[in-house]
Amino acid sequence: MEELQLTNNQAQELIKCLKNVLGTYEKKLSNGDKGQFSLKSNNNSLKNRTFQVNYLYATDNIHINFMDAKTKHTLIRINLDSKFHNNSDGKVRGHRVEIFSEAEFKAKDDSSTYVKAHPLPFGTIRDTNDFLIAMKDLLNYTNTHKQNHLQLSIISQLDI
């Protein structure tokens, strides 16, 4: 079996460390848009580690993925859709959050799955259909500051 580049403790440290949005990111989203922006750790012991947030905004299909830029491992992913994720102990359907998990990697033993899905709400991450609420919840959960550097908005059908 392959080895993961992170342990659960390291992943939790990366999730919970203070981080800032790098630069200014402004985007008006319409159906089907996707993009990414970067974050940087404030913690010197993490050697100014960088992170990437990838997102997809579409009607009934929202995904927000928070990953470590060094290992390319997903640390947290929010899925707001009607699909499912196969955990080693069963399916989680509908809105869910996927969290890095060494135990799931070992239990699945498929050399690729290293996240475990949990139905929403989960901790401070709400069950919502609203992309902007989900993004804010993810950024708060990952202890991200300087959120005012992100200017994300949704173009409604009325704006067109």
Side-chain angles (χ1 to χ4, degrees), residues 19 37 54 57 66 105 112 144:
K19 53 194 76 70
F37 58 89
N54 299 314
Y57 170 76
F66 174 79
F105 180 74
S112 62
T144 301

mmCIF file of all heavy atoms in Angstrom, residues 19 37 54 57 66 105 112 144:
data_model
loop_
_atom_site.group_PDB
_atom_site.id
_atom_site.type_symbol
_atom_site.label_atom_id
_atom_site.label_comp_id
_atom_site.label_asym_id
_atom_site.label_seq_id
_atom_site.Cartn_x
_atom_site.Cartn_y
_atom_site.Cartn_z
ATOM 1 N N LYS A 19 -4.152 31.412 8.692
ATOM 2 C CA LYS A 19 -3.726 31.638 7.309
ATOM 3 C C LYS A 19 -4.431 32.866 6.755
ATOM 4 O O LYS A 19 -5.465 33.281 7.268
ATOM 5 C CB LYS A 19 -3.952 30.400 6.439
ATOM 6 C CG LYS A 19 -5.339 29.841 6.470
ATOM 7 C CD LYS A 19 -5.431 28.455 5.880
ATOM 8 C CE LYS A 19 -4.928 27.374 6.746
ATOM 9 N NZ LYS A 19 -5.714 27.064 7.932
ATOM 10 N N PHE A 37 -8.007 30.189 -5.733
ATOM 11 C CA PHE A 37 -7.217 31.250 -5.113
ATOM 12 C C PHE A 37 -6.326 30.618 -4.063
ATOM 13 O O PHE A 37 -6.517 29.457 -3.677
ATOM 14 C CB PHE A 37 -8.090 32.372 -4.540
ATOM 15 C CG PHE A 37 -9.098 31.932 -3.518
ATOM 16 C CD1 PHE A 37 -8.771 31.886 -2.171
ATOM 17 C CD2 PHE A 37 -10.377 31.569 -3.904
ATOM 18 C CE1 PHE A 37 -9.699 31.489 -1.225
ATOM 19 C CE2 PHE A 37 -11.312 31.174 -2.967
ATOM 20 C CZ PHE A 37 -10.971 31.136 -1.630
ATOM 21 N N ASN A 54 -9.998 25.511 -4.542
ATOM 22 C CA ASN A 54 -10.610 25.355 -5.863
ATOM 23 C C ASN A 54 -12.116 25.320 -5.661
ATOM 24 O O ASN A 54 -12.593 24.761 -4.665
ATOM 25 C CB ASN A 54 -10.181 24.047 -6.523
ATOM 26 C CG ASN A 54 -8.702 23.979 -6.742
ATOM 27 O OD1 ASN A 54 -8.094 24.925 -7.215
ATOM 28 N ND2 ASN A 54 -8.097 22.862 -6.384
ATOM 29 N N TYR A 57 -18.966 26.480 -9.138
ATOM 30 C CA TYR A 57 -20.293 27.014 -8.833
ATOM 31 C C TYR A 57 -21.216 26.684 -9.999
ATOM 32 O O TYR A 57 -21.015 27.146 -11.121
ATOM 33 C CB TYR A 57 -20.244 28.534 -8.621
ATOM 34 C CG TYR A 57 -21.622 29.128 -8.545
ATOM 35 C CD1 TYR A 57 -22.397 28.977 -7.400
ATOM 36 C CD2 TYR A 57 -22.173 29.801 -9.622
ATOM 37 C CE1 TYR A 57 -23.678 29.492 -7.335
ATOM 38 C CE2 TYR A 57 -23.457 30.321 -9.576
ATOM 39 C CZ TYR A 57 -24.204 30.164 -8.423
ATOM 40 O OH TYR A 57 -25.469 30.665 -8.367
ATOM 41 N N PHE A 66 -10.410 22.583 -0.351
ATOM 42 C CA PHE A 66 -9.283 23.216 0.339
ATOM 43 C C PHE A 66 -8.154 22.196 0.392
ATOM 44 O O PHE A 66 -8.305 21.119 0.967
ATOM 45 C CB PHE A 66 -9.722 23.623 1.754
ATOM 46 C CG PHE A 66 -8.617 24.149 2.612
ATOM 47 C CD1 PHE A 66 -8.162 25.451 2.472
ATOM 48 C CD2 PHE A 66 -8.040 23.344 3.576
ATOM 49 C CE1 PHE A 66 -7.150 25.940 3.279
ATOM 50 C CE2 PHE A 66 -7.029 23.819 4.387
ATOM 51 C CZ PHE A 66 -6.577 25.117 4.240
ATOM 52 N N PHE A 105 -8.070 5.955 4.409
ATOM 53 C CA PHE A 105 -7.103 5.523 3.407
ATOM 54 C C PHE A 105 -6.750 4.043 3.615
ATOM 55 O O PHE A 105 -6.737 3.251 2.668
ATOM 56 C CB PHE A 105 -5.846 6.389 3.495
ATOM 57 C CG PHE A 105 -4.778 6.042 2.502
ATOM 58 C CD1 PHE A 105 -4.925 6.377 1.160
ATOM 59 C CD2 PHE A 105 -3.628 5.402 2.901
ATOM 60 C CE1 PHE A 105 -3.932 6.070 0.239
ATOM 61 C CE2 PHE A 105 -2.625 5.095 1.989
ATOM 62 C CZ PHE A 105 -2.777 5.420 0.653
ATOM 63 N N SER A 112 -6.066 5.409 -3.318
ATOM 64 C CA SER A 112 -6.412 6.754 -3.753
ATOM 65 C C SER A 112 -7.333 7.502 -2.791
ATOM 66 O O SER A 112 -7.229 8.713 -2.672
ATOM 67 C CB SER A 112 -7.029 6.731 -5.150
ATOM 68 O OG SER A 112 -8.218 5.992 -5.149
ATOM 69 N N THR A 144 -9.060 31.065 8.317
ATOM 70 C CA THR A 144 -8.531 31.960 7.291
ATOM 71 C C THR A 144 -8.925 33.404 7.589
ATOM 72 O O THR A 144 -10.100 33.710 7.753
ATOM 73 C CB THR A 144 -9.044 31.550 5.896
ATOM 74 O OG1 THR A 144 -8.631 30.215 5.639
ATOM 75 C CG2 THR A 144 -8.510 32.469 4.821
#
